[in-house]
Amino acid sequence: MAVSQSSVFSESARGDAALSQINITPLIDVMLVLLIIFMVISPVVGLNLDARLPQANREATAPTVPPLQLVAQADGRYRLDGVVHGLDTLRSALVQSAANDPERVLMVSASADADYQAFANALATAEASGIRQIAHGQ
């Protein structure tokens, strides 16, 4: 069982030639599947939906009232729209503001050197006074 060198090389050359051709059968299968998908989807894409979206009523918007500014200061006092209050007088001023305009926003902030307790007291007093909309100001 002697095998000649020439037959080994010739089989190797034939195997390389067979492997160098591209098998396009899977490519054709994928193309046919995509064609079928597009044929099924294209009638659905062309349908128009009658969607009636709600429109904004620009006349119904209320005029914006500037928010109340409450600033907690480092010395333990509070500035409500420029008027300085102590903690006890702040509550009565906030109750009066809430009674005048219950939907008005209160922007609570603290000065840079104020401690956290002053800010927390301002928030607690604002919540206890009946103001519904409290925001953190810059």
Side-chain angles (χ1 to χ4, degrees):
M1 285 216 135
V3 178
S4 69
Q5 287 285 353
S6 64
S7 67
V8 170
F9 288 123
S10 65
E11 285 181 21
S12 167
R14 276 187 268 138
D16 289 340
L19 291 178
S20 67
Q21 294 179 358
I22 297 175
N23 186 3
I24 62 168
T25 303
L27 179 66
I28 293 173
D29 291 344
V30 170
M31 294 294 286
L32 287 174
V33 168
L34 289 174
L35 179 66
I36 291 170
I37 289 173
F38 286 129
M39 287 173 56
V40 169
I41 290 177
S42 64
V44 175
V45 172
L47 294 177
N48 291 331
L49 296 176
D50 184 25
R52 296 190 179 148
L53 300 176
Q55 300 296 320
N57 188 0
R58 300 203 193 296
E59 297 170 0
T61 58
T64 57
V65 178
L68 287 169
Q69 298 290 330
L70 176 60
V71 179
Q73 297 176 338
D75 58 359
R77 294 187 293 170
Y78 302 93
R79 185 178 303 271
L80 180 64
D81 276 348
V83 179
V84 178
H85 295 279
L87 191 57
D88 49 344
T89 60
L90 176 65
R91 181 178 170 90
S92 62
L94 287 174
V95 167
Q96 184 181 5
S97 295
N100 292 342
D101 189 6
E103 296 301 318
R104 193 164 180 191
V105 177
L106 176 68
M107 300 290 285
V108 181
S109 62
S111 63
D113 52 348
D115 61 349
Y116 181 74
Q117 187 61 43
F119 181 74
N121 288 340
L123 284 176
T125 303
E127 187 176 4
S129 67
I131 294 180
R132 291 185 230 160
Q133 298 183 21
I134 302 172
H136 178 267
Q138 293 289 353

